[in-house]
């Protein structure tokens, strides 16, 4: 992650300037030892406020994006990632930003997406330019990865409060909840972009949301970031508690509108971010708890990163205490190297970033000597013989080394990447492979001269 400097994807002419800044030591890098960890799950940018969605056998993860060097919640866009194995995450870029909403001024904060009737609805809070208050907008897309468009041309609801979560009950009734310092809900209509009745305030009682001490204006623990779902007939509302620093707590009910019963702490106060935000899903027989912290280099309360843990519900549907780890969730299955894999499918990365590719999707770029990408649990089977990658380089290029089980692990092959005349002028390179058998962690290690070397769009073994 280039913590001190980020150039827009269109500013390739600025690479030379960036190189000077690198030499001046103004760009921070992740240490090599970080490769031992798989949490946080995104390392190419700072991410916050995770909202997972399971669809067609994949987990889609919707996040906010903390700008590098932020000293406030400086957020201009939302991002999407996806995975089939909970460890290798594909970057789908930013299909939704402040500019999507003509009425939005600032603050691309915590939202959630949901699918209904073949469309995807993404509810997000942002500041209304006309009123200066926080409002909830809704964007819609035919695809979980966008692009999304403003469904209304105006806020869906507006009362100055934030952090929407959306839930569809078994009877088809959809609910939108949000709030800080209060907690509200509306009953969404089947079109998901309008609602019946008016906003209803949920009573924040100590029986329902725990007791806060030392703040007469906030008698309960509820702070912000509600996440509502139903499991085995029980309704859950998981939320960021107290402030500051926040911890994650939860309450349950037998109705989507309460009354709620406080059940206790899930994730105690920990990590280097004074906020936290949760998203919970079941996937492939496991339960997963997404959150954020400030664990990456340069991270903190305004430069956060999303992480995930696997957990098991207790008797009666209780949620256990979950602590932050650097190991993260275990891999579900393996990754198939014999089909095209996007280069931006990453378990861990050092140095690189991603950008929009001229051939569709995203590509890995900003590659310098010694940078690498880790792909976890690659099932080579009896053995790979050839490696092919789609690459581009406005410079003289470099080398793409294939390493097994470590950035300096056994060398399985090396592809030479030539200059192609442009950072989006693509060509395909191939090289022979030896020793890639069984299930291994694959490291794409990038080597060469000084400055930026080349971009990688996709790769495949045969």
């Amino acid at each position: 992650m280039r913590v001190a400097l980020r150039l827009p994807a269109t500013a390739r002419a600025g690479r030379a300037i960036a190189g000077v800044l690198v030499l001046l030591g103004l760009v921070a890098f992740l240490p090599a030892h970080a490769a031992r960890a798989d949490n946080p799950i995104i390392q190419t940018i700072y991410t916050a406020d995770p909202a997972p969605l399971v669809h067609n056998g994949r987990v889609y993860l919707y996040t906010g994006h903390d700008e590098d060097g932020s000293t406030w919640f400086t957020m201009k866009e939302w991002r999407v990632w996806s995975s089939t194995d909970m460890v290798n995450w594909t970057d789908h870029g930013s299909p939704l930003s402040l500019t999507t909403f003509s009425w939005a001024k600032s603050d691309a904060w915590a939202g959630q997406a949901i699918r209904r009737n073949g469309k995807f609805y993404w509810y997000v809070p942002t500041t209304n330019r006309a009123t200066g208050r926080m409002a909830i907008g809704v964007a819609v897309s035919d695809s979980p990865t966008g692009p999304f468009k403003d469904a209304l041309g105006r806020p869906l609801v507006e009362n100055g409060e934030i952090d929407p979560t959306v839930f569809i009950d078994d009877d088809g009734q959809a609910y939108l909840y949000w709030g800080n310092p209060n907690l509200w809900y509306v009953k969404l209509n089947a079109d998901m972009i309008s609602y019946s009745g008016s906003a209803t305030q949920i009573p924040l009682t100590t029986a329902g949301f725990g007791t806060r001490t030392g703040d007469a204006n906030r008698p309960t623990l509820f702070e912000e970031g509600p996440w509502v779902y139903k499991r085995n007939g029980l309704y859950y509302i998981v939320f960021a508690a107290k402030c500051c620093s926040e911890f994650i707590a939860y309450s349950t009910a037998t109705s989507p509108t309460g009354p709620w019963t406080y059940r206790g702490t899930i994730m105690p106060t920990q990590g280097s971010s004074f906020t936290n935000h949760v998203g919970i899903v079941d996937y492939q027989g496991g339960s997963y708890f997404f959150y954020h912290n400030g664990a990456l280099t340069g991270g903190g309360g305004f430069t956060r990163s999303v992480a995930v843990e696997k957990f098991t519900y207790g008797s009666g549907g209780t949620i256990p205490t979950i602590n932050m780890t650097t190991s993260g969730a275990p891999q579900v299955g393996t990754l198939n190297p014999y089909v095209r894999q996007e280069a931006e499918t990453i378990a861990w990365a050092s140095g690189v970033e991603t950008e929009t590719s001229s051939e569709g999707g995203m590509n890995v770029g900003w590659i310098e000597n010694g940078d690498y990408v880790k792909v976890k649990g690659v099932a080579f089977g009896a053995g790979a013989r050839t490696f092919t990658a789609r690459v581009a380089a406005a410079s003289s290029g470099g080398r793409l080394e294939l390493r097994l089980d470590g950035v300096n692990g056994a060398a399985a092959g090396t592809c030479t990447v030539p200059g192609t005349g442009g950072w989006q002028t693509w060509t395909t390179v191939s090289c022979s492979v030896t020793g890639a058998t069984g299930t291994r962690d694959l490291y794409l290690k990038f080597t060469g001269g000084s400055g930026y070397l080349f971009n990688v769009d996709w790769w495949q073994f045969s």
Side-chain angles (χ1 to χ4, degrees), residues 139-454:
V140 63
S141 174
D142 294 327
S143 164
T145 59
F148 285 80
K149 64 180 181 180
D150 186 355
L152 293 172
R154 56 176 172 78
L156 172 63
V157 292
E158 178 178 348
N159 64 1
E161 301 197 36
I162 59 174
D163 292 356
T165 182
V166 59
F167 160 70
I168 303 174
D169 207 349
D170 297 337
D171 62 2
Q173 178 61 60
Y175 297 83
L176 183 74
Y177 306 77
W178 74 99
N180 177 341
N182 303 297
L183 180 58
W184 305 81
Y185 77 89
V186 293
K187 289 186 176 182
L188 293 171
N189 294 326
D191 64 7
M192 300 299 283
I193 60 173
S194 64
Y195 58 90
S196 300
S198 58
T200 300
Q201 187 171 347
I202 296 175
L204 292 177
T205 65
T206 54
F209 296 91
T211 302
R212 183 187 310 220
T213 58
D215 187 346
N217 296 320
R218 302 287 290 265
T220 76
L221 292 171
F222 179 83
E223 182 71 23
E224 60 184 352
W227 181 268
V228 176
Y229 66 102
K230 183 180 184 181
R231 186 177 186 275
N232 293 338
L234 192 63
Y235 297 85
Y236 292 77
I237 183 165
V238 186
F239 56 92
K242 206 176 176 181
C243 187
C244 289
S245 296
E246 295 174 345
F247 63 93
I248 299 298
Y250 78 113
S251 303
T252 61
T254 55
S255 160
T257 58
W260 297 93
T261 300
Y262 182 64
R263 303 297 294 270
T265 297
I266 301 174
M267 178 168 279
T269 299
Q270 54 192 276
S272 53
S273 168
F274 57 86
T275 67
N276 203 344
H277 190 100
V278 67
I280 296 176
V281 291
D282 286 349
Y283 177 69
Q284 300 286 16
S287 298
Y288 296 89
F289 182 95
F290 291 82
Y291 60 97
H292 68 227
N293 58 26
L296 287 184
T297 298
F302 303 116
T303 44
R304 299 160 293 180
S305 295
V306 170
V308 65
E309 310 293 344
K310 187 178 182 181
F311 73 98
T312 301
Y313 288 88
S315 61
T318 58
I319 303 177
T321 300
I322 301 172
N323 290 302
M324 299 181 184
T325 73
T326 58
S327 57
Q331 187 168 7
V332 179
T334 55
L335 184 137
N336 181 3
Y338 301 115
V339 298
R340 170 173 159 165
Q341 296 289 347
E342 299 301 315
E344 63 274 14
T345 298
I346 297 169
W348 192 271
S350 178
V352 305
E353 299 183 18
T354 62
E355 64 184 353
T356 301
S357 170
S358 64
E359 297 194 333
M362 307 290 285
N363 66 256
V364 170
W366 318 97
I367 292 170
E368 295 176 279
N369 183 54
D371 291 349
Y372 64 87
V373 164
K374 172 189 175 183
V375 186
K376 192 170 182 178
V378 179
F380 291 108
R385 295 293 177 261
T386 306
F387 174 83
T388 301
R390 190 73 167 162
V391 296
S395 65
S396 58
R399 295 178 300 279
L400 196 166
E401 299 181 8
L402 308 175
R403 300 278 180 165
L404 301 176
D405 301 326
V407 68
N408 295 314
T414 300
C415 286
T416 298
V417 178
T420 64
W423 297 113
Q424 294 294 317
T425 303
W426 298 96
T427 191
T428 303
V429 297
S430 295
C431 51
S432 60
V433 176
T434 59
T437 60
T439 298
R440 315 285 287 275
D441 291 345
L442 171 68
Y443 287 74
L444 307 180
K445 183 178 181 180
F446 311 115
T447 58
S450 60
Y452 295 113
L453 303 179
F454 52 89

